[in-house]
Amino acid sequence: MIKMTYDELELEAYLLEVIEEYKDFDNMDDEELYELMTRVASYTDDDYEEAYEYISQFSPIDKKRILALDLPK
C-alpha cells in the first residue's frame, strides 16, 4: 500500500478538481495556469521543473507554454 502525506493528498485533490473543471490544462488561460504552477510549486519547495513534471502526470501540457509564463526562477 502506498502511503501519501496530507500535503500530497491535498495537492492531488486540487489538481483533480482543476482537471474536472477545465478538462485539461490547455483550456486554462495564462493567469490561471500561472496560479496553478505557483500553487503546485509551493508543494515542491518552489521547484517549478518538479511542479511541471508533477502536473504533467495529470494532463499533458506544452513545456513552452509553461516557460512563457515567466515564472520565478
Side-chain angles (χ1 to χ4, degrees), residues 2-48:
I2 297 174
K3 292 187 177 184
M4 297 177 74
T5 66
Y6 178 78
D7 284 348
E8 290 169 326
L9 289 171
E10 183 178 51
L11 179 56
E12 186 172 307
Y14 168 67
L15 288 171
L16 291 173
E17 286 176 19
V18 170
I19 291 294
E20 186 176 325
E21 181 177 346
Y22 292 95
K23 306 303 177 224
D24 64 47
F25 300 124
D26 286 329
N27 292 329
M28 300 177 83
D29 66 29
D30 287 349
E31 185 177 328
E32 293 164 331
L33 190 56
Y34 183 93
E35 290 175 18
L36 172 76
M37 285 298 296
T38 55
R39 182 162 178 184
V40 173
S42 74
Y43 287 90
T44 62
D45 296 325
D46 294 326
D47 183 335
Y48 288 91

Side-chain angles (χ1 to χ4, degrees), residues 25-26 28-30 33 62-69:
F25 300 124
D26 286 329
M28 300 177 83
D29 66 29
D30 287 349
L33 190 56
D62 188 354
K63 191 167 188 174
K64 291 177 186 173
R65 181 150 182 237
I66 299 297
L67 294 173
L69 294 175

